[in-house]
Amino acid sequence: DVKVTQSSRYLVKRTGEKVFLECVQDMDHENMFWYRQDPGLGLRLIYFSYDVKMKEKGDIPEGYSVSREKKERFSLILESASTNQTSMYLCASSLGFFGYTFGSGTRLTVV
Amino acid sequence: KNQVEQSPQSLIILEGKNCTLQCNYTVSPFSNLRWYKQDTGRGPVSLTIMTFSENTKSNGRYTATLDADTKQSSLHITASQLSDSASYICVVSAYGGATNKLIFGTGTLLAVQP
C-alpha cells in the first residue's frame, strides 16, 4: 500500500512564525497535493505538483508556498503564520488519475 | 460551477441498522466519483471509486451506486458497526490538465450508537 507520511500530527505556532509542513510518499508518485480542511468547507486545494520542481496554485494559495526538490517530498510553507491559517492540513499523492492517497493530516493551531 | 453536495449533513443510527448517504454533483467533464471515510483527526481513506460506466461497487459492507444520467451517487452501509462512526466524503474528479481536479463534498457525519 502507498504510504503518505506527514511529519507532525499536531503543531502549535505563534503568529508571524515561518512554518514548514512536510509530506513524504513512498511509491514514486508523480503528483502531490496540499489541502486544508475546515468545518463546513470541505477540503480545499492549496497547491499541487506534478513533477520535481514543478508547482501549480490551487484554489487558495494565498499565504502559502511549496517546495518539491525531490520526487518523494512535498513541503508546504507558511511564510508568516496567521490565526486564519489554523486548520487541518492534508497531503495527498497520486499516480495518474486514480491512485489517490491521503496522509493522516497535521492539525495546525496558530496562536 | 463544479459542485458536490451531500446529504444529510449528519446522521445518527443504531448499531446493526443500515443507512444510505447521498451525493449530488454538477461536475464537468466527469472522470470518476469516489467515496472516502474519514475518522476524526485522521486523513480520508478511500472506500470506492467508480468511473462513468460503472453503476455499483462494493467494499465489504459499503456499497456505492452511481447514476451518471441524474448525477447522483449513494453510499449504502449495511449492518452498521460502532467503527463506522466517521465522516463520509463524496469526491468527484473532473478531467483537466496534467492531473484531474477533485471536487469535494463537505461530508456526512455518521454516528453509530450502541
Side-chain angles (χ1 to χ4, degrees):
Chain A
D1 279 353
V2 178
K3 194 167 184 182
V4 177
T5 303
Q6 294 184 230
S7 54
S8 305
R9 288 289 308 282
Y10 300 96
L11 274 179
V12 180
K13 297 292 182 180
R14 294 195 179 278
T15 300
E17 272 193 79
K18 190 169 186 176
V19 181
F20 293 86
L21 302 183
E22 305 288 344
C23 176
V24 177
Q25 50 96 1
D26 67 357
M27 283 299 290
D28 204 34
H29 280 181
E30 301 141 345
N31 307 316
M32 296 189 75
F33 309 82
W34 275 106
Y35 292 89
R36 64 178 282 178
Q37 185 177 29
D38 301 289
L41 295 178
L43 276 78
R44 293 178 292 167
L45 181 63
I46 303 171
Y47 267 98
F48 67 97
S49 167
Y50 53 87
D51 202 353
V52 175
K53 296 192 186 294
M54 304 296 288
K55 60 184 179 183
E56 295 277 348
K57 291 181 180 179
D59 298 320
I60 51 163
E62 296 77 20
Y64 304 94
S65 62
V66 290
S67 172
R68 191 159 181 207
E69 296 296 319
K70 294 184 179 181
K71 192 173 188 179
E72 66 271 18
R73 186 180 296 270
F74 192 35
S75 303
L76 180 69
I77 304 156
L78 286 66
E79 297 291 341
S80 177
S82 63
T83 55
N84 62 13
Q85 292 179 310
T86 292
S87 186
M88 173 73 137
Y89 289 87
L90 289 162
C91 175
S93 75
S94 78
L95 181 67
F97 296 149
F98 290 93
Y100 214 93
T101 303
F102 285 91
S104 293
T106 296
R107 171 79 59 188
L108 173 66
T109 302
V110 182
V111 297
Chain B
K1 182 183 175 184
N2 287 333
Q3 273 189 311
V4 176
E5 293 184 351
Q6 293 186 243
S7 61
Q9 275 192 318
S10 61
L11 183 61
I12 301 173
I13 61 172
L14 293 177
E15 188 179 10
K17 298 296 186 183
N18 302 337
C19 67
T20 300
L21 314 179
Q22 300 291 342
C23 173
N24 296 337
Y25 62 92
T26 53
V27 175
S28 182
F30 176 87
S31 174
N32 57 75
L33 184 145
R34 313 154 189 246
W35 282 94
Y36 283 87
K37 178 187 178 188
Q38 185 176 21
D39 293 318
T40 300
R42 311 291 298 190
V45 174
S46 180
L47 294 175
T48 63
I49 179 169
M50 291 181 291
T51 59
F52 183 88
S53 59
E54 298 172 293
N55 55 24
T56 186
K57 186 162 279 190
S58 292
N59 179 357
R61 295 178 296 101
Y62 300 101
T63 299
T65 64
L66 173 65
D67 185 333
D69 291 332
T70 62
K71 299 186 177 179
Q72 295 180 325
S73 176
S74 64
L75 181 69
H76 186 75
I77 304 174
T78 305
S80 60
Q81 300 176 358
L82 298 178
S83 59
D84 292 330
S85 295
S87 181
Y88 292 84
I89 303 173
C90 176
V91 185
V92 181
S93 178
Y95 281 116
T99 183
N100 280 3
K101 180 177 175 65
L102 298 188
I103 297 94
F104 292 81
T106 54
T108 292
L109 186 61
L110 175 65
V112 180
Q113 294 184 342

